[in-house]
């Protein structure tokens, strides 16, 4: 079955999604005649003007309710127009997992962009952190528009980086000019040290960075504190080691751990806090069901529970 590329545009009301999509569809470099289904998941203040699109092969459908996101219905829309690709203006109040889970199997996210009003973003983040994080964690570009000289770019930068170190950040000034974020984000630990010491406060960042860029950790020796977890599906010499981690709010706390091998693993108790020294190998393991970081433990020290047992990004 041929894959259908999906271009996903997220953000809250008045964030600039409609304007960007309108301009994109007016650009013949993108809209050169390919049959396109445009799905609108919210009613914005601005309206589309199809008469200025560079091609007439754009077909607009409205999704009124989150529950209307259903594979068969979406596929029927696509087939009714014989569309070759899909653009989605997503409702900022809907979680992205709803769309991800309900897309037809052959629909594939090609690009994902988040648009934010720089003047209201901090307020949204303070009051609706879960929804903001939901949009930040997977987008490849965040555009902060209406970004005047009084905007604290560092505050915006830190919030984005707490969710993703890969996402590009652009600041669009009121005059329409754009500057890209060039703030450096050095890791708070030294990956070139003989033993990489991960402080308690840095576990969430370490785990996220390792998950995104496993290759650079190959062969590194790590030293950090964590919680022992056990599984009957794993061999006696294997345990899972990590921390409870909160990405955005208490509702999303979950255990974020790594597979560890140690000949004396059976002496460790589930829920016990220890400090390990271990070497990282990136390889397939049945505990992940795919390639991932497998730690060969060389030393274990028993320790007290940390003051802040739940790891956070901020």
């Amino acid at each position: 079955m041929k894959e259908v590329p999906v271009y996903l545009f997220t953000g809250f009301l008045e964030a600039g999604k409609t304007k960007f999509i309108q301009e994109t569809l007016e650009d013949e470099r993108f809209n050169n005649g390919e049959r396109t289904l445009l799905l609108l998941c919210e009613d914005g203040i601005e309206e589309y003007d199809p008469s200025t699109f560079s091609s007439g092969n754009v077909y607009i459908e409205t999704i009124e309710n989150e529950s209307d996101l259903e594979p068969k219905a979406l596929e029927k829309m696509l087939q009714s127009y014989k569309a070759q690709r899909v653009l989605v203006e997503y409702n900022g109040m809907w979680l992205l997992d709803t769309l991800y889970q309900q897309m037809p199997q052959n629909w594939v996210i090609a690009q994902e962009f988040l648009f934010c009003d720089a003047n209201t973003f901090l307020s949204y983040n303070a009051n609706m952190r879960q929804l903001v994080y939901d949009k930040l964690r997977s987008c490849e570009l965040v555009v902060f528009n209406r970004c005047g000289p009084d905007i604290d770019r560092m505050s915006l930068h830190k919030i984005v980086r707490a969710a993703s170190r890969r996402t590009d950040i652009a600041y669009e000034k009121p005059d329409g000019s754009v500057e890209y974020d060039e703030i450096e984000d050095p890791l708070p630990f030294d990956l070139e040290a003989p033993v990489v010491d991960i402080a308690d406060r840095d576990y969430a960042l370490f785990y996220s960075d390792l998950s995104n860029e496993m290759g650079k950790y190959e062969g590194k020796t790590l030293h950090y504190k964590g919680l022992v977890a056990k599984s009957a599906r794993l061999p006696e010499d294997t345990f899972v080691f990590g921390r409870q981690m909160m990405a955005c709010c208490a509702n999303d706390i979950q255990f974020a751990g790594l597979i560890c091998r140690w000949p004396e693993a059976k002496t460790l108790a589930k829920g016990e806090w220890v400090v390990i020294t271990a070497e990282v190998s990136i390889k397939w393991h049945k505990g992940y069901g795919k390639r991932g970081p497998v730690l060969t433990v060389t030393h274990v020290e028993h320790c007290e529970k940390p003051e802040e047992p739940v790891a956070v990004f901020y």
Side-chain angles (χ1 to χ4, degrees), residues 11 17-18 28 60 67 70 102 112 127 176 270 285 306:
K17 301 190 298 293
T18 302
E28 62 183 13
I60 301 176
S67 59
E70 196 275 328
Q102 297 301 322
E112 182 179 334
N127 295 293
K270 179 181 177 181
H285 194 283

Side-chain angles (χ1 to χ4, degrees), residues 23 61 83 90 126 130 135 158 276:
E23 292 174 351
E61 288 281 355
Y90 201 65
Q130 184 177 12
K135 310 304 181 294
K158 287 181 177 179
I276 69 166

